[in-house]
Amino acid sequence: MMSKKLLFVYNPKAGKAFIKNKLADILDIFAGAGYEITIAPTQKVGDARELVAGRDAGYELVVCSGGDGTLDETVTGMIQSGFRTPIGYIPAGSTNDFGGSLSLPKNMIRAAEVIMEGRDFPCDIGSFNDDIFVYIAAFGLFTDVSYETGQDMKNVLGYMAYLLEGMKRLSSVHRFPMKVRWDGNEVEDDFIFGMITNSVSVGGFKKITGKNVKLDDGVFEVTLIKSPKNPVELNSIMLSLLNRKIDKNVMYCFRASELELESGKPVAWTLDGENGGIHSKVTIHNLCREIEFRVGTPPVKSEE
């Protein structure tokens, strides 16, 4: 009898590199379920994407382990390959926002068991010009913190590292004049921050993306923060964002399946916490139920 084939792509340096101690147990779980396993540790940025994009069609399952960047590369590679295979995810990064949104266990051994026992959940992802993102595209305040904050600092402080690094920058908040179009609407304003999300949490904080978030409804949750006129207003913006108390005087919050953002000067973006390049015009589409993730229980909804 032919064995089922599984491609296992993992980042040995993700998070606190815990996977090194769990690797044998994880592989034992996969083998015990009857899989012939191809093991592919990543060595550098782009490896996971290339491995998944170049896989042959004989693999019945692709499993990745790492942080959000590894997951982003795996999904991007899946899209680039032109054919789809269910993806199992063993979170191993510093915050693992999307793993939490999928209700995946934090325990790596249990996460491997869920991949073997679970069901496939068709999930939305996003297209961003010619790129792909899994759960967040963002610009402005704090968005460059993730890939500029050192791995050691991430390990020690977790998501607080993002905030602490960002707090250093409050004295030099940049304004981004933009036109934003969606569903027949158009606004033109100066923004300090924007995020287009399909996630229950961002940066380890729940509720920040809104209420009643569903990962398979074909729409993103969009948050655009206007430029504050003084430090007091900036402080109230941060509190509003963290407590998710929408203040229409300082922010736009809406849902959209596609949107276009245009700026006079190029703007730096981050996709799933990784460098997304610099763009003057961005077109974002929701690819509804495009990728199947292996999950145990139905993914969580955000709190009412």
Side-chain angles (χ1 to χ4, degrees):
M1 179 179 170
M2 289 280 289
S3 295
K4 301 173 288 184
K5 290 179 67 177
L6 181 156
L7 175 62
F8 181 43
V9 179
Y10 74 97
N11 179 357
K13 297 181 179 134
K16 298 178 182 177
F18 280 148
I19 193 165
K20 291 179 182 177
N21 300 324
K22 310 287 186 183
L23 191 56
D25 290 333
I26 290 169
L27 295 176
D28 188 55
I29 289 167
F30 295 163
Y35 281 97
E36 175 189 327
I37 311 156
T38 301
I39 308 166
T42 62
Q43 302 294 310
K44 62 185 183 305
V45 172
D47 280 358
R49 181 189 58 77
E50 290 179 12
L51 286 161
V52 176
R55 79 194 187 287
D56 67 53
Y59 289 102
E60 295 181 40
L61 186 61
V62 172
V63 178
C64 69
S65 182
D68 291 331
T70 304
L71 178 64
D72 177 278
E73 285 196 24
T74 300
V75 171
T76 301
M78 185 69 66
I79 296 292
Q80 290 177 347
S81 74
F83 59 97
R84 304 289 182 265
T85 306
I87 295 175
Y89 180 38
I90 301 176
S94 304
T95 52
N96 302 312
D97 286 312
F98 198 67
S101 292
L102 289 174
S103 299
L104 299 179
K106 292 182 180 178
N107 180 290
M108 299 177 81
I109 303 303
R110 181 63 196 133
E113 291 173 343
V114 162
I115 293 168
M116 296 296 98
E117 302 163 359
R119 63 181 183 84
D120 295 330
F121 170 70
C123 187
D124 300 347
I125 60 167
S127 74
F128 177 95
N129 289 352
D130 296 325
D131 212 334
I132 294 292
F133 66 96
V134 178
Y135 76 96
I136 181 170
F139 69 88
L141 189 66
F142 297 160
T143 55
D144 61 346
V145 171
S146 177
Y147 50 85
E148 287 190 5
T149 304
Q151 188 65 50
D152 290 340
M153 190 176 177
K154 286 186 191 179
N155 291 345
V156 173
L157 298 172
Y159 62 72
M160 286 304 296
Y162 301 115
L163 286 186
L164 290 173
E165 189 68 23
M167 290 300 286
K168 298 176 187 175
R169 301 155 188 252
L170 288 181
S171 60
S172 58
V173 174
H174 292 290
R175 293 167 30 168
F176 302 91
M178 281 189 178
K179 286 182 182 176
V180 184
R181 304 178 188 91
W182 77 98
D183 298 340
N185 302 291
E186 179 175 326
V187 297
E188 186 170 359
D189 219 322
D190 291 351
F191 302 104
I192 59 166
F193 173 76
M195 64 179 181
I196 296 88
T197 61
N198 190 45
S199 177
V200 174
S201 70
V202 170
F205 291 99
K206 291 189 175 179
K207 295 196 284 189
I208 199 171
T209 59
K211 297 178 179 179
N212 307 315
V213 174
K214 295 180 181 177
L215 305 183
D216 60 347
D217 59 1
V219 293
F220 295 117
E221 285 67 43
V222 181
T223 304
L224 301 169
I225 308 297
K226 298 182 190 180
S227 180
K229 297 177 178 64
N230 52 58
V232 173
E233 205 167 272
L234 175 60
N235 190 49
S236 83
I237 286 170
M238 295 307 298
L239 286 172
S240 296
L241 192 60
L242 292 176
N243 296 325
R244 197 57 192 190
K245 291 179 179 174
I246 296 172
D247 183 344
K248 293 182 179 177
N249 293 318
V250 295
M251 62 180 72
Y252 298 94
C253 296
F254 56 89
R255 287 185 165 102
S257 58
E258 58 182 78
L259 64 159
E260 187 179 274
L261 303 97
E262 194 171 353
S263 53
K265 295 181 179 178
V267 174
W269 284 78
T270 175
L271 304 178
D272 299 327
E274 304 296 319
N275 192 336
I278 298 173
H279 309 271
S280 298
K281 188 174 181 180
V282 166
T283 303
I284 295 173
H285 293 275
N286 185 295
L287 305 179
C288 185
R289 299 165 66 90
E290 182 73 17
I291 294 290
E292 290 191 330
F293 290 103
R294 186 67 57 86
V295 299
T297 57
V300 297
K301 293 180 184 177
S302 64
E303 297 174 25
E304 296 292 325

